[in-house]
Amino acid sequence: MSSDGPALVSCLCANLRMATRAVTRVYDRALASSGLRTTQYSVLARLRDEGPLALTRLADRLVLERTTLARELRTLEAAGLVSIEAGEDRRRR
């Protein structure tokens, strides 16, 4: 086994995490010219497919922590790619 790159281990979870990071790097490089990161693109893709969603619902659909999603949405909103509006009871976004 070479020590030059990632080495598969018997733990499926560790191998999956390594593969996920590798795929993310490929997508981040492909998206670099747009100024988007993979996580931001995922948010936009979900909103395109499902339309406007409450913040908590969107976080659940993306399997993201609500605070992580809020940070990504602020960046996307600053870029003019999404708008964040108050819900009917003003607590929802």
Side-chain angles (χ1 to χ4, degrees):
M1 197 180 302
S2 171
S3 63
D4 294 349
L8 296 180
V9 295
S10 60
C11 175
L12 181 60
C13 181
N15 290 329
L16 181 58
R17 290 178 56 89
M18 282 188 287
T20 301
R21 286 191 298 270
V23 169
T24 297
R25 281 191 298 273
V26 169
Y27 274 86
D28 279 340
R29 279 193 298 271
L31 290 168
S33 65
S34 72
L36 292 173
R37 292 187 319 271
T38 304
T39 51
Q40 295 163 336
Y41 182 81
S42 296
V43 171
L44 292 173
R46 177 66 63 179
L47 290 171
R48 180 201 60 220
D49 291 348
E50 297 191 31
L53 294 169
L55 184 65
T56 300
R57 176 77 174 137
L58 181 56
D60 290 345
R61 298 293 288 151
L62 290 165
V63 191
L64 284 175
E65 293 291 325
R66 195 173 184 275
T67 54
T68 301
L69 176 59
R71 185 175 50 249
E72 297 296 346
L73 285 171
R74 278 193 301 274
T75 302
L76 292 170
E77 184 178 42
L81 297 171
V82 299
S83 64
I84 302 171
E85 301 171 2
E88 293 175 10
D89 69 2
R90 314 272 308 154
R91 291 177 293 177
R92 292 182 58 160
R93 299 271 181 250

